[in-house]
Amino acid sequence: MKKSMGQYFRMRQELAEEGMDFLFKTPVTEDVNSIIYEGEVDEEDYITWRPVEKTTSHDIKQLEENLEVVFHKSIIEYFNSYWFADLDGFINDFYIKLEGVLPNFEFDSFRKTLEGYKSNHNNRLENIPIGIEGNGLLVVIDNLNGKVKLEDFERNSFEVISESIEVLVSKLRLKR
């Protein structure tokens, strides 16, 4: 996972250096540990961020116990690879935006998303929401086999878009 994410962030940095510097701008969140922030806040209340490789693992057993689920190992690896504000791009014709992992907030947003998802899915977490697709479909990870799917809740349908979150991240591309 770290290798795929590292490659993704290098690609993002190359594009930023070519003039797409907005790729590393994010609204300031006061409670976020400043380890990912660089420089000063601009006039639009945005700040430059950089991905930071994690050197310690965060235990998510408490989250698993609270939600009565055991996460697929790829989900644990995703949240324990890097701190970052944005991870998005295109795969095939889909625009995908994945859950950010912010210092001090590693699981806050994720927990809230999981609670809502679980209550809307008969109190079950067979799939784990990890992001959103450009047309509003949920990006989910099959909690049994790790495949990444797009979920259309209204139609109760799923479409596999990647064999794993690692493969998905390695194939994401940003458009110039």
Side-chain angles (χ1 to χ4, degrees):
M1 179 61 71
K2 279 189 180 186
K3 182 179 176 186
S4 293
M5 291 178 98
Q7 290 171 338
Y8 168 84
F9 289 126
R10 281 190 293 283
M11 174 202 54
R12 194 174 180 106
Q13 182 62 47
E14 288 170 10
L15 290 171
E17 290 169 359
E18 292 174 10
M20 297 175 68
D21 61 342
F22 63 87
L23 290 173
F24 284 100
K25 296 277 189 168
T26 190
V28 175
T29 303
E30 294 295 327
D31 296 331
V32 169
N33 181 320
S34 62
I35 190 172
I36 69 167
Y37 291 153
E38 293 182 333
E40 300 295 321
V41 177
D42 66 18
E43 61 279 350
E44 296 166 349
D45 289 329
Y46 278 71
I47 193 165
T48 301
W49 66 273
R50 65 181 170 88
V52 175
E53 187 174 348
K54 287 186 166 189
T55 56
T56 59
S57 291
H58 287 87
D59 187 6
I60 63 171
K61 291 204 182 309
Q62 185 67 47
L63 182 59
E64 288 178 320
E65 287 174 11
N66 290 345
L67 293 168
E68 300 172 336
V69 66
V70 175
F71 294 119
H72 188 270
K73 67 179 179 142
S74 63
I75 296 164
I76 297 166
E77 291 171 2
Y78 178 84
F79 281 99
N80 280 301
S81 294
Y82 279 84
W83 280 296
F84 58 91
D86 292 310
L87 200 161
D88 61 344
F90 292 87
I91 184 168
N92 303 326
D93 292 330
F94 302 111
Y95 171 71
I96 305 294
K97 181 170 180 52
L98 298 177
E99 183 88 28
V101 181
L102 298 170
N104 295 350
F105 288 93
E106 286 90 355
F107 305 115
D108 287 358
S109 172
F110 185 53
R111 176 186 298 109
K112 290 174 187 162
T113 299
L114 286 170
E115 289 168 350
Y117 188 88
K118 185 176 179 180
S119 79
N120 286 326
H121 289 80
N122 299 319
N123 213 27
R124 300 175 70 174
L125 286 172
E126 294 171 357
N127 295 290
I128 306 299
I130 193 83
I132 193 155
E133 183 268 341
N135 291 317
L137 302 177
L138 288 178
V139 178
V140 298
I141 296 176
D142 186 304
N143 206 31
L144 292 178
N145 61 29
K147 291 183 180 186
V148 181
K149 306 182 282 189
L150 293 179
E151 177 182 349
D152 185 330
F153 181 75
E154 292 177 5
R155 293 191 173 122
N156 193 28
S157 66
F158 295 87
E159 178 182 350
V160 174
I161 59 170
S162 181
E163 291 302 306
S164 70
I165 189 70
E166 184 174 2
V167 170
L168 176 77
V169 170
S170 72
K171 291 184 175 183
L172 283 177
R173 296 293 171 251
L174 296 165
K175 296 187 178 182
R176 296 172 196 227

